[in-house]
Amino acid sequence: MYNPKQTSILPSPPAIPSLANIKVSKASLGHGHTLILEELTNRLYCFGDNSRGQVTGCTTGTNTNANTSTADQVKKKQKLIIHEPIIPSFAKDLEFVDIAAGIFHSAAIAIDGTLYTFGCHKFHQSLAPNLNITSSDDDNDDDKDGNI
């Protein structure tokens, strides 16, 4: 519990080692993913949960069925976690001026003013028809209340 009279200093959180060589100008955090904008090059880096394509701009899908064991579902979900910052393939040759992470979707504004959205598009907040997003957002319990 917080005590304003306490004189001890709390330890600071550790720096993220994989970002050691990246000078960050902006970070935006979603439900389980992070977007980073690099200061010197205006490159977009992303990492974290990619179950809806909110990190890479595409996903191999997260559909499960009644015949899939819980252990298999956990393994499949673990494969969708991007542990190190990456530049999404669509963003390799682009520079960005702003970024935003939603709960299960992401947005980035390129230097020319083009808006790129990717990730969950259950409510059409991430219109990316050319990215072939195949996850079944309607069947996912995480967003059953419309919290996207």
Side-chain angles (χ1 to χ4, degrees):
M1 177 177 276
Y2 174 72
N3 180 353
K5 295 179 181 181
Q6 185 176 1
T7 58
S8 65
I9 298 174
L10 297 174
S12 62
I16 300 172
S18 57
L19 294 175
N21 296 323
I22 298 172
K23 187 169 183 178
V24 176
S25 64
K26 184 172 185 174
S28 184
L29 287 67
H31 179 66
H33 70 292
T34 300
L35 308 181
I36 300 291
L37 191 58
E38 185 178 19
E39 182 175 281
L40 301 175
T41 63
N42 296 319
R43 280 187 261 177
L44 170 66
Y45 289 88
C46 309
F47 59 97
D49 178 12
N50 189 49
S51 61
R52 292 173 180 84
Q54 66 269 41
V55 172
T56 63
C58 61
T59 179
T60 57
T62 60
N63 296 340
T64 59
N65 60 45
N67 297 327
T68 306
S69 73
T70 302
D72 288 341
Q73 290 177 20
V74 169
K75 285 179 187 175
K76 188 172 187 177
K77 188 78 168 173
Q78 288 172 341
K79 290 180 182 178
L80 296 173
I81 303 297
I82 309 297
H83 295 281
E84 298 291 324
I86 62 158
I87 298 173
S89 59
F90 75 88
K92 297 273 187 221
D93 298 321
L94 299 173
E95 293 181 36
F96 294 89
V97 295
D98 206 0
I99 54 174
I103 295 176
F104 299 121
H105 58 282
S106 302
I109 301 173
I111 205 160
D112 68 359
T114 302
L115 173 64
Y116 293 85
T117 61
F118 46 105
C120 177
H121 56 281
K122 182 176 182 178
F123 299 105
H124 307 287
Q125 72 273 39
S126 179
L127 298 175
N130 60 327
L131 295 177
N132 194 25
I133 304 298
T134 59
S135 65
S136 177
D137 295 322
D138 292 328
D139 296 334
N140 193 309
D141 289 338
D142 290 344
D143 59 14
K144 68 181 175 185
D145 295 324
N147 297 324
I148 305 300

